[in-house]
Amino acid sequence: MNRHNSPGRRVFLILNYTFLILLGLACLLPLINVLAISFSSSTAVNAGKVSLWPVEFNLDSYRFVVGKPEFVESFLVSVKRVLVGVPVNMVLTILVAYPLSKERGTFRFRNYYVWYFVITMLFSGGLIPWYMTIRATGILDTFWALILPAAVPIFNVILLLNFFKNIPPEIEEAARIDGSGVWQSLWRIAVPLSAPAIATLTLFCIVTHWNSWFDGLILMNNPAHYPLQTYLQTIIVNRDMSLINVADLTQWAAISDRTSRAAQVFVAMLPVMLVYPFLQKYFSQGIVMGSVKG
Amino acid sequence: MEQVAVGKTGKPQVPSSKLRRSNWRELPYHLMILPGFLLVFIYSYIPMAGIMMAFQRYRPAKGILHSPWVGWSNFEYMLNIPGIYQVLWNTVFIALMKIIAGILVPVVVTLLLNEARVRWFQRGIQTIIYFPHFLSWIILSGILIDILSPSTGVINSLLSFFHIKPVFFLGDVKWFPYTMVLTDTWKEFGYGTIVFLAALTGINPALYEAASIDGAGRWKQTLYVTLPGMLPIIILMTVLSLGNVLNAGFDQIFNLYSAQVYPSGDIIDTLVFRIGMQDANYGVATAVGLFKSVVSLIMIGASYLLAYRFAGYKIF
């Protein structure tokens, strides 16, 4: 009917495309602004000349950041927590989700276990008891404090559980008749068939671990144990001067707070940007499965 | 208990030898769950027992088990914290505005994206607007503190170009809550469209054809086909977000606020943090936290019940 666009429709379309482009720019420009600042000279930045393109392009702030032991140290802590924490998350998620995806006829305790895990999403002891418990288990100020307390991501378990449920039971039934055990069914059938879901959840876990800062702030006493985001928190938000040594201060005068901060923010953002294309390929599916978390 | 569980499935009661065999067969399932079970027990259930600190005057030397019990006095103390009702109001105000904006904006953007029929354009915009969701509030604070600065920030130089006086978005009591809502919406609206875009794909194309034959233009089709098609998921998302009325966003506010905006920006979570971690007043912090947990639990319970009753929605 409306094959030919009426003038009104055409005006709407133009406005709509313009609006959507502006929306996209609103998300993009702040990031570009940071990038431009990080590559500019501090004099140009302080004079307010930099908006979206570097002025007096240089790499001084990056050189400063890479040569800063606190930054490099915390970067390595973050890399380590991703490399250790994500496999721990995923193995536990798979191991918990698989039995819970079974019907009650197959696994009679299923519903008790499901409630056991779901309750922790609905109710928690709160900040102080959580901290005291972690202290009591003796992992305060150690690397494991970043891994163990959040080792079982319950929400991911529920997503994967629902995904496992969609696997036709006939496949496992056939395998069982051929003599395959429960463990084999899990690793040979359920996991390979859920590869897209598992890939999505893995990427989510990577981003979560990389972005976590609060646990580092609360559970680490020694700043050398801070993950990158916690370290950034101290320099961006608190401007904790005790973390800055005298040699830094003289360099700070030359490089300026803003350019070096921009460089650190950008470096911290980089890994997320690197996994984002993969993430984006998969995650719509993952979200739709369990879109409905509050 | 086992007998009951078997009975409930509607299967005939099995003789005990068979029961033992099925116990044996289910053993691998228990083993699979065991590591996750233990970790959740230690780091989620033991802290729940720690709630009893809310009823104690905690003494580090005595520990949780031997600290003196003080009844409700921590809660009485809580009600007498100066400005506590303001904190509660700030929390609910910011959280509710975020909930409303967090549904309204994605719905509108979804409808607009739906009208942009050029495929690559749609994909491109989606890719860009999803991205901020994956950045931490630390990174975004770094960016926002810079661009919102009243003296050097890009936003304020833009405003001054239009002869508007600089606004101290993060330091002005009047502006702070709105800055929080705006920046949170900026971070999350793109990601929020995913659910609604998915709902669009579920609308039967025949409905559009029928509407078109009946003479409905694109606007009428949006009004009478697209929106009603999205309505169930809009209602569902609204109901489920009720559980967040006391979640004003700790990560965001903690990293963007300062003492001068406490009057309008201090929320329950940040208050708990300061009472507990900075003043080391564990009993009171636990009491305030418990208050929040209980209210949230009631809201989540009610919202899931509503979602189940009216939309048949089940989480697992």
Side-chain angles (χ1 to χ4, degrees):
Chain A
M1 286 266 138
N2 280 311
R3 279 293 133 80
H4 299 286
N5 289 334
S6 66
R9 174 82 189 153
R10 223 172 290 152
V11 170
F12 167 77
L13 280 178
I14 290 168
L15 286 178
N16 189 26
Y17 279 107
T18 315
F19 177 76
L20 289 173
I21 288 171
L22 288 177
L23 215 53
L25 287 178
C27 291
L28 211 54
L29 293 187
L31 310 182
I32 294 176
N33 178 243
V34 172
L35 192 59
I37 289 177
S38 73
F39 282 120
S40 299
S41 76
S42 52
T43 40
V45 169
N46 289 337
K49 283 192 213 151
V50 182
S51 53
L52 299 175
W53 198 254
V55 177
E56 296 168 28
F57 180 91
N58 71 76
L59 294 170
D60 287 353
S61 52
Y62 285 94
R63 233 167 266 140
F64 170 69
V65 167
V66 171
K68 205 172 167 192
E70 295 90 347
F71 184 85
V72 177
E73 235 165 40
S74 62
F75 191 91
L76 292 177
V77 171
S78 277
V79 169
K80 194 174 155 199
R81 82 176 283 178
V82 168
L83 290 180
V84 177
V86 174
V88 168
N89 281 160
M90 287 316 295
V91 168
L92 288 171
T93 303
I94 292 168
L95 285 180
V96 173
Y98 180 70
L100 299 187
S101 70
K102 296 294 165 204
E103 291 300 322
R104 212 159 53 168
T106 320
F107 183 34
R108 283 165 302 145
F109 291 92
R110 176 202 183 257
N111 282 11
Y112 300 107
Y113 278 123
V114 170
W115 276 110
Y116 174 83
F117 287 106
V118 167
I119 282 171
T120 64
M121 290 205 313
L122 305 178
F123 190 75
S124 75
L127 176 66
I128 305 298
W130 174 79
Y131 170 78
M132 305 288 269
T133 308
I134 292 168
R135 197 171 68 176
T137 51
I139 56 173
L140 213 60
D141 206 25
T142 70
F143 175 69
W144 293 105
L146 304 175
I147 307 291
L148 295 180
V152 193
I154 309 290
F155 185 65
N156 290 2
V157 169
I158 303 231
L159 292 183
L160 192 60
L161 175 171
N162 284 327
F163 205 90
F164 279 152
K165 265 190 182 170
N166 292 331
I167 296 173
E170 291 79 13
I171 301 177
E172 286 189 25
E173 194 63 23
R176 205 167 57 82
I177 291 164
D178 290 344
S180 132
V182 174
W183 289 93
Q184 270 174 317
S185 289
L186 170 57
W187 298 117
R188 296 268 172 81
I189 297 169
V191 169
L193 285 178
S194 313
I198 289 173
T200 315
L201 295 181
T202 306
L203 291 165
F204 273 126
C205 285
I206 293 175
V207 173
T208 307
H209 263 294
W210 185 261
N211 281 344
S212 293
W213 59 278
F214 188 68
D215 48 4
L217 185 68
I218 297 288
L219 305 174
M220 299 296 154
N221 299 324
N222 181 353
H225 298 162
Y226 278 174
L228 183 59
Q229 303 274 343
T230 310
Y231 164 72
L232 278 184
Q233 206 265 346
T234 59
I235 63 155
I236 290 170
V237 180
N238 292 340
R239 316 269 171 83
D240 186 347
M241 285 301 163
S242 65
L243 288 177
I244 302 162
N245 55 44
V246 184
D248 275 356
L249 276 180
T250 45
Q251 261 197 308
W252 268 45
I255 287 159
S256 115
D257 205 1
R258 281 182 77 196
T259 54
S260 80
R261 243 188 302 148
Q264 296 180 68
V265 163
F266 187 72
V267 174
M269 199 158 69
L270 209 56
V272 179
M273 288 169 103
L274 291 180
V275 300
Y276 184 63
F278 304 98
L279 194 58
Q280 212 236 341
K281 192 174 151 202
Y282 289 119
F283 71 68
S284 321
Q285 189 183 13
I287 298 312
V288 175
M289 313 193 271
S291 53
V292 260
K293 193 204 167 182
Chain B
M1 209 157 86
E2 286 166 21
Q3 291 289 346
V4 174
V6 173
K8 261 196 201 159
T9 59
K11 283 183 187 165
Q13 300 284 314
V14 276
S16 62
S17 69
K18 222 172 172 185
L19 195 74
R20 223 172 290 133
R21 209 164 64 216
S22 74
N23 271 344
W24 191 243
R25 213 180 43 225
E26 289 178 15
L27 184 68
Y29 293 139
H30 292 284
L31 287 178
M32 285 173 182
I33 292 181
L34 188 66
F37 184 94
L38 290 177
L39 281 163
V40 166
F41 184 81
I42 296 171
Y43 293 110
S44 295
Y45 279 91
I46 292 180
M48 286 186 206
I51 283 173
M52 59 189 181
M53 287 169 70
F55 303 94
Q56 291 178 336
R57 178 139 305 126
Y58 182 74
R59 296 265 174 277
K62 293 184 175 165
I64 295 180
L65 296 177
H66 302 289
S67 287
W69 295 90
V70 293
W72 293 94
S73 88
N74 286 327
F75 292 88
E76 281 159 25
Y77 183 96
M78 167 179 102
L79 294 178
N80 290 317
I81 296 171
I84 182 76
Y85 295 104
Q86 185 63 42
V87 169
L88 190 61
W89 165 250
N90 295 342
T91 309
V92 175
F93 181 69
I94 295 174
L96 276 182
M97 295 225 301
K98 279 183 180 175
I99 289 174
I100 294 168
I103 288 176
L104 215 57
V105 177
V107 167
V108 171
V109 173
T110 302
L111 292 176
L112 294 178
L113 271 174
N114 190 39
E115 294 302 315
R117 290 296 160 102
V118 183
R119 201 72 190 110
W120 61 265
F121 179 83
Q122 211 185 29
R123 293 291 307 234
I125 294 290
Q126 279 172 272
T127 304
I128 293 169
I129 64 179
Y130 293 165
F131 186 63
H133 169 82
F134 294 98
L135 296 176
S136 72
W137 273 114
I138 303 296
I139 297 209
L140 292 180
S141 298
I143 296 173
L144 289 171
I145 289 171
D146 195 282
I147 65 174
L148 294 178
S149 151
S151 51
T152 55
V154 177
I155 302 281
N156 274 308
S157 26
L158 209 68
L159 289 180
S160 72
F161 185 76
F162 294 106
H163 300 290
I164 300 171
K165 263 195 286 177
V167 177
F168 198 176
F169 293 98
L170 295 171
D172 188 328
V173 174
K174 208 169 68 221
W175 278 94
F176 186 80
Y178 301 100
T179 311
M180 291 303 102
V181 175
L182 202 71
T183 52
D184 181 71
T185 309
W186 171 74
K187 182 179 193 280
E188 301 293 341
F189 81 91
Y191 198 67
T193 61
I194 294 177
V195 189
F196 299 116
L197 282 167
L200 283 187
T201 59
I203 296 174
N204 187 348
L207 291 174
Y208 288 107
E209 277 165 39
S212 168
I213 288 163
D214 288 346
R218 291 299 284 259
W219 169 242
K220 287 266 168 74
Q221 288 180 26
T222 302
L223 215 55
Y224 295 112
V225 181
T226 314
L227 263 182
M230 282 167 67
L231 200 59
I233 194 90
I234 295 175
I235 293 173
L236 182 64
M237 297 305 286
T238 312
V239 167
L240 291 181
S241 61
L242 284 181
N244 285 326
V245 282
L246 291 185
N247 283 331
F250 175 82
D251 281 21
Q252 178 195 21
I253 293 179
F254 183 74
N255 289 313
L256 289 171
Y257 82 158
S258 50
Q260 74 225 48
V261 292
Y262 283 173
S264 69
D266 200 14
I267 57 169
I268 295 177
D269 289 328
T270 50
L271 185 71
V272 169
F273 180 86
R274 291 203 313 277
I275 297 175
M277 302 314 291
Q278 287 172 6
D279 307 344
N281 200 341
Y282 292 145
V284 176
T286 309
V288 180
L290 178 61
F291 164 76
K292 191 201 158 198
S293 294
V294 169
V295 175
S296 295
L297 179 67
I298 293 168
M299 295 304 290
I300 295 171
S303 67
Y304 276 63
L305 203 69
L306 280 173
Y308 178 65
R309 278 281 162 77
F310 295 110
Y313 167 74
K314 278 160 95 176
I315 39 169
F316 54 86

